[in-house]
Short mmCIF file of all heavy atoms in Angstrom, two decimals:
data_model
loop_
_atom_site.label_atom_id
_atom_site.label_comp_id
_atom_site.label_asym_id
_atom_site.label_seq_id
_atom_site.Cartn_x
_atom_site.Cartn_y
_atom_site.Cartn_z
N ALA G 5 73.00 55.18 140.53
CA ALA G 5 73.45 56.45 139.97
C ALA G 5 74.99 56.30 139.77
O ALA G 5 75.71 55.84 140.65
CB ALA G 5 73.15 57.58 140.84
N THR G 6 75.45 56.77 138.63
CA THR G 6 76.86 56.68 138.29
C THR G 6 77.31 58.09 137.94
O THR G 6 76.68 58.82 137.18
CB THR G 6 77.08 55.77 137.06
OG1 THR G 6 76.56 54.49 137.42
CG2 THR G 6 78.58 55.63 136.76
N LEU G 7 78.54 58.45 138.39
CA LEU G 7 79.08 59.78 138.11
C LEU G 7 80.45 59.49 137.35
O LEU G 7 81.21 58.63 137.75
CB LEU G 7 79.42 60.49 139.42
CG LEU G 7 80.37 61.66 139.35
CD1 LEU G 7 79.47 62.96 139.12
CD2 LEU G 7 81.16 61.82 140.60
N ARG G 8 80.63 60.19 136.26
CA ARG G 8 81.84 60.08 135.47
C ARG G 8 82.53 61.43 135.35
O ARG G 8 81.86 62.36 134.91
CB ARG G 8 81.55 59.47 134.15
CG ARG G 8 81.18 57.98 134.10
CD ARG G 8 80.99 57.45 132.73
NE ARG G 8 80.38 56.18 132.82
CZ ARG G 8 79.06 55.93 132.91
NH1 ARG G 8 78.19 56.99 132.84
NH2 ARG G 8 78.53 54.75 132.94
N TYR G 9 83.82 61.48 135.66
CA TYR G 9 84.54 62.72 135.43
C TYR G 9 85.90 62.27 134.95
O TYR G 9 86.53 61.31 135.44
CB TYR G 9 84.65 63.46 136.79
CG TYR G 9 85.21 64.86 136.73
CD1 TYR G 9 84.78 65.72 135.76
CD2 TYR G 9 86.21 65.24 137.60
CE1 TYR G 9 85.23 66.98 135.69
CE2 TYR G 9 86.73 66.56 137.52
CZ TYR G 9 86.21 67.38 136.57
OH TYR G 9 86.69 68.66 136.52
N ALA G 10 86.43 63.00 133.93
CA ALA G 10 87.71 62.60 133.25
C ALA G 10 88.90 62.52 134.12
O ALA G 10 89.87 61.83 133.78
CB ALA G 10 87.91 63.45 132.06
N VAL G 11 88.94 63.30 135.11
CA VAL G 11 90.13 63.34 136.02
C VAL G 11 89.77 62.82 137.40
O VAL G 11 88.65 62.27 137.59
CB VAL G 11 90.67 64.74 136.17
CG1 VAL G 11 91.21 65.21 134.82
CG2 VAL G 11 89.68 65.66 136.64
N ALA G 13 88.18 61.89 140.32
CA ALA G 13 86.82 62.29 140.75
C ALA G 13 86.78 62.61 142.21
O ALA G 13 85.84 63.22 142.66
CB ALA G 13 85.89 61.13 140.39
N PHE G 17 86.79 66.80 141.77
CA PHE G 17 85.31 66.89 141.67
C PHE G 17 84.81 67.63 142.91
O PHE G 17 83.90 68.51 142.89
CB PHE G 17 84.64 65.50 141.54
CG PHE G 17 83.12 65.61 141.52
CD1 PHE G 17 82.54 66.11 140.38
CD2 PHE G 17 82.36 65.23 142.56
CE1 PHE G 17 81.12 66.24 140.33
CE2 PHE G 17 81.02 65.37 142.53
CZ PHE G 17 80.38 65.82 141.40
N LEU G 20 85.54 71.26 142.39
CA LEU G 20 84.69 71.71 141.34
C LEU G 20 83.27 72.05 141.93
O LEU G 20 82.79 73.17 141.71
CB LEU G 20 84.58 70.69 140.14
CG LEU G 20 83.63 71.09 139.05
CD1 LEU G 20 84.37 70.87 137.77
CD2 LEU G 20 82.37 70.24 139.11
N LEU G 52 73.64 71.09 139.29
CA LEU G 52 73.79 70.00 138.28
C LEU G 52 74.15 70.65 136.93
O LEU G 52 75.06 70.04 136.25
CB LEU G 52 72.56 69.22 138.22
CG LEU G 52 72.52 68.01 137.25
CD1 LEU G 52 73.65 67.04 137.60
CD2 LEU G 52 71.21 67.31 137.25
N GLN G 54 75.67 73.40 136.29
CA GLN G 54 77.05 73.92 136.35
C GLN G 54 78.07 72.81 136.16
O GLN G 54 79.04 72.94 135.39
CB GLN G 54 77.28 74.71 137.65
CG GLN G 54 76.53 75.96 137.69
CD GLN G 54 77.04 76.98 136.67
OE1 GLN G 54 78.21 77.19 136.46
NE2 GLN G 54 76.08 77.57 135.95
N ILE G 55 77.94 71.76 136.90
CA ILE G 55 78.95 70.70 136.86
C ILE G 55 78.84 69.87 135.58
O ILE G 55 79.88 69.46 135.09
CB ILE G 55 78.98 69.83 138.15
CG1 ILE G 55 77.68 69.10 138.31
CG2 ILE G 55 79.32 70.68 139.38
CD1 ILE G 55 77.63 68.16 139.51
N GLN G 56 77.74 69.82 135.01
CA GLN G 56 77.63 69.12 133.71
C GLN G 56 78.29 69.90 132.64
O GLN G 56 78.89 69.37 131.73
CB GLN G 56 76.15 68.76 133.31
CG GLN G 56 75.55 67.60 134.09
CD GLN G 56 74.15 67.38 133.69
OE1 GLN G 56 73.41 68.26 133.37
NE2 GLN G 56 73.77 66.15 133.73
N ALA G 57 78.19 71.23 132.75
CA ALA G 57 78.89 72.10 131.75
C ALA G 57 80.42 71.97 131.84
O ALA G 57 81.09 72.25 130.88
CB ALA G 57 78.50 73.56 131.96
N ARG G 58 80.92 71.42 132.92
CA ARG G 58 82.35 71.23 133.13
C ARG G 58 82.82 69.80 132.76
O ARG G 58 83.95 69.48 133.06
CB ARG G 58 82.75 71.59 134.56
CG ARG G 58 82.58 73.06 134.92
CD ARG G 58 82.94 73.30 136.35
NE ARG G 58 82.82 74.62 136.71
CZ ARG G 58 83.81 75.44 136.93
NH1 ARG G 58 85.04 75.05 136.78
NH2 ARG G 58 83.60 76.69 137.34
N GLY G 59 81.93 69.00 132.23
CA GLY G 59 82.34 67.72 131.71
C GLY G 59 81.97 66.51 132.59
O GLY G 59 82.44 65.44 132.38
N VAL G 60 81.17 66.79 133.65
CA VAL G 60 80.76 65.69 134.59
C VAL G 60 79.57 65.04 133.92
O VAL G 60 78.61 65.68 133.46
CB VAL G 60 80.42 66.25 135.95
CG1 VAL G 60 79.95 65.09 136.87
CG2 VAL G 60 81.63 66.86 136.60
N GLU G 61 79.61 63.73 133.90
CA GLU G 61 78.50 62.95 133.26
C GLU G 61 77.79 62.18 134.38
O GLU G 61 78.39 61.56 135.26
CB GLU G 61 79.02 61.95 132.27
CG GLU G 61 79.66 62.60 131.11
CD GLU G 61 80.30 61.61 130.10
OE1 GLU G 61 79.97 60.40 130.24
OE2 GLU G 61 80.93 62.05 129.19
N TRP G 62 76.45 62.15 134.35
CA TRP G 62 75.62 61.41 135.31
C TRP G 62 74.79 60.41 134.51
O TRP G 62 74.40 60.66 133.38
CB TRP G 62 74.62 62.36 135.97
CG TRP G 62 75.22 63.41 136.79
CD1 TRP G 62 75.58 64.68 136.30
CD2 TRP G 62 75.49 63.48 138.14
NE1 TRP G 62 76.13 65.42 137.31
CE2 TRP G 62 76.03 64.71 138.47
CE3 TRP G 62 75.32 62.56 139.17
CZ2 TRP G 62 76.40 65.06 139.76
CZ3 TRP G 62 75.74 62.91 140.43
CH2 TRP G 62 76.27 64.13 140.70
N SER G 63 74.51 59.31 135.20
CA SER G 63 73.51 58.38 134.65
C SER G 63 72.81 57.74 135.77
O SER G 63 73.32 57.50 136.83
CB SER G 63 74.18 57.29 133.80
OG SER G 63 74.99 56.47 134.55
N ILE G 64 71.51 57.56 135.63
CA ILE G 64 70.68 56.94 136.61
C ILE G 64 69.92 55.74 135.94
O ILE G 64 69.29 56.01 134.87
CB ILE G 64 69.65 57.92 137.23
CG1 ILE G 64 70.52 58.98 138.00
CG2 ILE G 64 68.78 57.15 138.28
CD1 ILE G 64 69.62 60.05 138.57
#
Side-chain angles (χ1 to χ4, degrees):
T6 304
L7 168 90
R8 288 183 192 87
Y9 190 48
V11 294
F17 181 72
L20 178 131
L52 181 60
Q54 290 295 311
I55 61 177
Q56 283 180 328
R58 293 178 180 253
V60 176
E61 298 177 9
W62 298 87
S63 66
I64 299 175

